Amino acid sequence: MLRYVTTNAGKVREAREYLDGVEQLDYDYTEVQASDLGPIAARGAREAYRHAGEPVLVDDAGLFVEGFDGFPGPYSSYVEDTLGVGAVQRLVEREADDPYRASFRCVLAYCDGDDFEASPDPIDRADRSAAAAAGAASQDDEGADALPVKLFHGRVPGRIVEPRGEGGFGYDPIFEHDGTTFAEMSPEEKNAVSHRGRAFAKFAEWLQERTQ
Ligand code: ITT
Ligand code: NA
């Protein structure tokens, strides 16, 4: 039984469209400090798999504001808890070089202990070489014995706007895509365009091919 590892009920609502009868595992894995989401999710998936002893899917996401060099990015959760979403919007409007352009990103990390073909996809390789070029040590280097993890990336461009809408969760009220905020969309409408929906579509396709 596949476990979707998250403490976030909003994510579970969206995942249902892709994972029939998805079982949430409410497990708070260690979020390592890293400048991109891939290594955080990969580490979390290994830890959650060791904890659960069953196939796991970890979902790490964040809001990347272009005029803030991608901030809050991997720190999105901490920033939501401390500053709050409204404060982020006001800060962006006042301080960012380009006050509107932003993107949501999501990385799904799957681990089931199997030694499947675990080669990272091109976006992950680009993330890695960018991190290497910036002189950052790889946070995902757990040696040859590390459990294989398969990563699926999704990204959606948008704009930061004053809060609108009652749906969704987290930063959804201040993230507008094609004139509509994510909080103004139903879960199905959001999935059709969102970072999470795109990552899940790739994951679902891979899982289907693998289990055929
Ligand atoms: P888990 O780690 O337990 O899954 P979390 O809420 O901490 O739950 P993330 O670290 O992935 O999840 O999320 C980082 C932040 O980004 C957090 O504040 C979320 O509310 C927010 N976030 C993630 N996905 C989002 C989405 O689709 N729409 C709006 N905000 C989102
Ligand atoms: Na988190």
Side-chain angles (χ1 to χ4, degrees):
M1 162 70 80
L2 174 64
R3 303 283 171 171
Y4 183 48
V5 184
T6 181
T7 62
N8 187 319
K11 289 184 180 179
V12 176
R13 260 198 314 277
E14 292 170 17
R16 289 201 191 289
E17 184 173 332
Y18 301 94
L19 303 173
D20 232 7
V22 53
E23 285 282 346
Q24 177 185 6
L25 177 61
D26 191 337
Y27 174 65
D28 206 5
Y29 56 86
T30 317
E31 291 203 10
V32 296
Q33 293 288 304
S35 56
D36 57 74
L37 303 177
I40 301 173
R43 285 249 179 169
R46 292 190 185 101
E47 184 186 326
Y49 173 71
R50 288 194 191 98
H51 169 81
E54 291 184 286
V56 294
L57 189 66
V58 156
D59 174 332
D60 198 38
L63 177 70
F64 293 71
V65 177
E66 291 194 11
F68 276 169
D69 232 4
F71 181 83
Y75 311 104
S76 295
S77 178
Y78 180 70
V79 169
E80 185 189 340
D81 291 345
T82 52
L83 286 179
V85 169
V88 170
Q89 184 270 321
R90 291 190 294 277
L91 198 65
V92 167
E93 187 174 285
R94 219 173 46 232
E95 305 284 350
D97 294 339
D98 178 349
Y100 304 116
R101 277 150 54 117
S103 61
F104 265 131
R105 291 186 208 174
C106 173
V107 177
L108 295 175
Y110 176 81
C111 181
D112 63 7
D114 262 12
D115 192 12
F116 49 79
E117 172 60 84
S119 62
D121 74 25
I123 299 172
D124 187 49
R125 275 200 294 278
D127 281 354
R128 280 163 199 262
S129 51
S138 169
Q139 302 271 355
D140 192 24
D141 183 10
E142 293 178 86
D145 294 337
L147 286 170
V149 170
K150 181 84 181 160
L151 300 180
F152 304 86
H153 296 255
R155 178 184 176 277
V156 60
R159 288 157 37 92
I160 302 297
V161 296
E162 286 183 27
R164 296 196 322 262
E166 305 295 325
F169 66 94
Y171 295 93
D172 282 343
I174 66 165
F175 187 85
E176 186 188 78
H177 178 78
D178 271 353
T180 308
T181 70
F182 274 4
E184 293 173 317
M185 299 181 185
S186 68
E188 294 72 27
E189 288 167 336
K190 181 181 167 187
N191 276 340
V193 294
S194 79
H195 52 314
R196 179 162 300 102
R198 286 171 189 189
F200 260 111
K202 293 181 194 171
F203 171 69
E205 193 185 339
W206 175 81
L207 194 65
Q208 201 183 15
E209 278 172 16
R210 190 163 171 259
T211 50
Q212 253 162 18

